[in-house]
Amino acid sequence: MTTGRPSLYSGELVTIICDKIANGQSLRSICNEKDMPTVSTIMRWLNNKPEFCQQYTRAREMQADSFFDEAVEIIHGEFKDNIEVQAAKLKLDAIKWTAGKLAPKKYGEYKQIDANVNTIKKLEDMTEDELTAFVGQK
């Protein structure tokens, strides 16, 4: 016999949580809603339930898209004064940073460069004239 509170975990609740995250809502604000699990419960589910972890990870990636859409709306907004412009810049910076962390390959500032080790070794074996000719090629 197990003791303790019964788990709230269900496929329906997982879908609700992940939909809210994908639409840009924070986990903390979701967990503050009535009939929602606590943040620590969600963290436990992420560690113990692979299917939830997979759906949650996808929702976070989609959240980056939601933040990008929000940024586009801000860019197209109309501002009455410099204070509104500065507030929009601050918000855009926060959105850009968050989207870059949630989906670095898509929204990150740095692009990954894949180097072919064989090509590097071949370059090391070239003479200075061969290297000059190679670099001159486009």
Side-chain angles (χ1 to χ4, degrees), residues 27 41-50 52-54 56-57:
L27 180 61
T41 297
I42 297 288
M43 295 301 137
R44 195 168 38 258
W45 291 352
L46 287 169
N47 284 326
N48 299 329
K49 302 193 179 297
F52 175 61
C53 186
Q54 185 178 11
Y56 181 88
T57 300

Side-chain angles (χ1 to χ4, degrees), residues 18-131:
C18 289
D19 284 350
K20 288 175 181 273
I21 288 170
N23 286 312
Q25 195 171 343
S26 74
L27 180 61
R28 192 174 306 273
S29 70
I30 293 167
C31 292
N32 285 332
E33 294 177 10
K34 185 179 178 203
D35 298 327
M36 287 291 169
T38 63
V39 172
S40 61
T41 297
I42 297 288
M43 295 301 137
R44 195 168 38 258
W45 291 352
L46 287 169
N47 284 326
N48 299 329
K49 302 193 179 297
E51 68 281 359
F52 175 61
C53 186
Q54 185 178 11
Q55 196 170 347
Y56 181 88
T57 300
R58 181 67 185 121
R60 284 293 188 185
E61 291 168 356
M62 293 168 65
Q63 188 178 45
D65 293 336
S66 178
F67 288 150
F68 178 82
D69 288 343
E70 184 179 353
V72 171
E73 289 176 8
I74 291 170
I75 290 167
H76 293 292
E78 294 184 20
F79 308 104
K80 296 176 187 149
D81 55 30
N82 192 42
I83 293 173
E84 286 186 4
V85 170
Q86 294 304 317
K89 282 183 180 180
L90 184 62
K91 192 170 185 178
L92 282 171
D93 285 345
I95 289 170
K96 184 171 71 171
W97 181 87
T98 305
K101 296 298 179 189
L102 290 170
K105 288 181 181 177
K106 194 170 190 179
Y107 299 113
E109 290 189 26
Y110 303 102
K111 300 297 178 198
Q112 182 176 347
I113 299 173
D114 294 325
N116 184 325
V117 175
N118 292 328
T119 301
I120 292 171
K121 286 184 179 180
K122 288 177 185 174
L123 290 173
E124 289 175 347
D125 295 336
M126 286 183 181
T127 66
E128 189 173 327
D129 290 338
E130 291 172 326
L131 195 56

